Amino acid sequence: MLATAVGVLIFSVGVCMAGNFRGMASWMLDHASSLVNVGGATVNTFRIVGVVAMVVGLFWVATALPEIL
């Protein structure tokens, strides 16, 4: 059950980043640039990271389904 909750959380963050909802990807770029040199990273880089997070979240949920069912 914990794996499902973690997967849904990761997937939700990925959706917010991919869609840049509430400016999440823009905020992450601003926050990351204050910590490290981001080089050529743009907001679209963080949106792509969001797509990867969505896939990881779906993987967590898919591996947790046999425990639930």
Side-chain angles (χ1 to χ4, degrees):
M1 189 69 180
L2 178 64
T4 304
V6 170
V8 169
L9 180 68
I10 293 172
F11 181 79
S12 300
V13 169
V15 167
C16 289
M17 286 177 63
N20 201 16
F21 298 131
R22 298 185 57 114
M24 187 171 191
S26 301
W27 176 82
M28 291 185 83
L29 176 64
D30 293 339
H31 185 69
S33 65
S34 69
L35 297 174
V36 294
N37 181 12
V38 293
T42 64
V43 174
N44 288 334
T45 304
F46 286 89
R47 293 179 81 178
I48 292 170
V49 169
V51 172
V52 172
M54 289 170 46
V55 173
V56 170
L58 284 176
F59 177 75
W60 272 73
V61 171
T63 57
L65 283 179
E67 296 176 7
I68 297 171
L69 302 176

